[in-house]
């Protein structure tokens, strides 16, 4: 016959184990109910997170596509000068704390403006870099976006000089002709070319903003 005390201990152990099991089941049930209760909120949250990740992915893909497109234009307009001009953009971007690809885009836009106006490609490249650097400086000084300053410079250089009055530079047709004559680029108005006018306006912008 089994010892009564041993049987009593076994019975108490069984009861304790049953209580623990019941407690665990109760808590698990509560957790399941909580999950079920908030299932819609959890699902909505996951949907929002998924949407945000998708938006980031789409944005990243678009940014990469824009850079690739810009690089293609850059290589085309600068031709054999593209490698050294890109190195300039890398160096100047680091010195001025700017995005290299932004500087490349500004320079390629300006290069694509100057070459059709009669500048040799190498001369246009130097011009494009100078205007880009000046735009960065003017943007910082006047608390303006560099892209906006580049557009103002581009517009003024091709003849719409009203865009640079905000920077304290006043350019007129007569003053452009005077600058050309003073530089000795032409001996009469009939000899003046569009490239000369652009160069004269650039000289006056530099003088007016220095």
């Amino acid at each position: 016959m089994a010892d009564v005390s041993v049987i009593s201990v076994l019975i108490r152990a069984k009861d304790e184990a049953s209580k623990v099991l019941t407690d665990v089941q109760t808590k698990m049930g509560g957790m399941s109910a909580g999950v079920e209760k908030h299932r819609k909120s959890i699902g909505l949250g996951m949907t929002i997170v998924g949407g945000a990740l998708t938006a980031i992915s789409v944005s990243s893909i678009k940014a990469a596509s824009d850079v690739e497109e810009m690089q293609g234009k850059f290589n085309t307009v600068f031709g054999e000068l593209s490698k050294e001009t890109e190195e300039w953009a890398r160096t100047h971007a680091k010195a001025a704390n700017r995005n290299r690809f932004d500087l490349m885009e500004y320079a390629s836009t300006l290069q694509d403006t100057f070459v059709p106006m009669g500048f040799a490609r190498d001369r246009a490249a130097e011009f494009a870099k100078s205007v880009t650097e000046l735009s960065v400086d003017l943007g910082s000084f006047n608390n303006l976006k560099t892209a906006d300053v580049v557009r103002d410079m581009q517009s003024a250089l091709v003849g719409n000089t009203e865009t640079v009055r905000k920077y304290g530079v006043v350019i007129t047709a007569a003053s452009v002709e005077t600058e050309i004559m003073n530089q000795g680029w032409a001996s009469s108005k009939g000899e003046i070319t569009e490239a000369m006018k652009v160069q004269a306006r650039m000289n006056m912008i530099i003088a007016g903003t220095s």
Side-chain angles (χ1 to χ4, degrees):
M1 183 179 293
D3 192 293
V4 175
S5 60
V6 173
I7 294 174
S8 298
V9 169
L10 291 175
I11 291 174
R12 284 198 300 272
K14 180 182 177 182
D15 290 341
E16 290 297 326
S18 179
K19 288 179 182 179
V20 171
L21 179 61
T22 300
D23 187 51
V24 169
Q25 289 176 335
T26 300
K27 290 180 179 179
M28 290 297 291
M31 185 181 296
S32 298
V35 171
E36 179 62 27
K37 178 180 178 181
H38 298 289
R39 181 174 59 82
K40 290 184 179 180
S41 297
I42 293 171
L44 177 60
M46 293 304 293
T47 299
I48 292 173
V49 170
L53 291 174
T54 300
I56 292 172
S57 298
V58 171
S59 178
S60 298
I61 292 172
K62 184 180 184 304
S65 176
D66 289 345
V67 168
E68 184 178 2
E69 187 175 313
M70 180 278 297
Q71 184 78 59
K73 177 182 177 181
F74 182 89
N75 292 338
T76 298
V77 298
F78 283 103
E80 60 184 16
L81 300 170
S82 59
K83 189 173 182 179
E84 63 182 79
T85 307
E86 184 169 351
E87 183 58 34
W88 157 82
R90 183 179 289 104
T91 301
H92 193 70
K94 185 176 181 179
N97 194 28
R98 291 291 188 275
N99 185 300
R100 169 169 62 97
F101 298 119
D102 286 343
L103 298 190
M104 290 171 63
E105 183 175 6
Y106 303 148
S108 63
T109 297
L110 293 165
Q111 178 80 349
D112 201 27
T113 300
F114 299 142
V115 171
M117 298 186 74
F119 286 91
R121 195 177 296 274
D122 57 346
R123 178 59 179 152
E126 292 304 315
F127 216 42
K129 289 187 285 187
S130 296
V131 175
T132 299
E133 291 176 8
L134 177 61
S135 297
V136 170
D137 291 341
L138 285 175
S140 297
F141 186 76
N142 293 282
N143 195 28
L144 296 171
K145 292 181 179 179
T146 303
D148 293 338
V149 181
V150 169
R151 280 191 290 270
D152 288 341
M153 294 295 108
Q154 180 187 25
S155 184
L157 289 169
V158 299
N160 183 22
T161 56
E162 292 291 326
T163 59
V164 292
R165 291 201 172 190
K166 70 182 74 173
Y167 308 108
V169 181
V170 178
I171 301 174
T172 64
S175 63
V176 169
E177 291 179 357
T178 299
E179 174 67 16
I180 291 172
M181 296 300 179
N182 289 341
Q183 293 294 334
W185 299 334
S187 56
S188 66
K189 292 183 180 179
E191 296 177 357
I192 295 176
T193 65
E194 285 302 313
M196 291 177 188
K197 292 179 182 179
V198 172
Q199 181 68 70
R201 294 180 191 117
M202 183 61 186
N203 289 358
M204 296 170 74
I205 289 172
I206 293 174
T209 58
S210 60

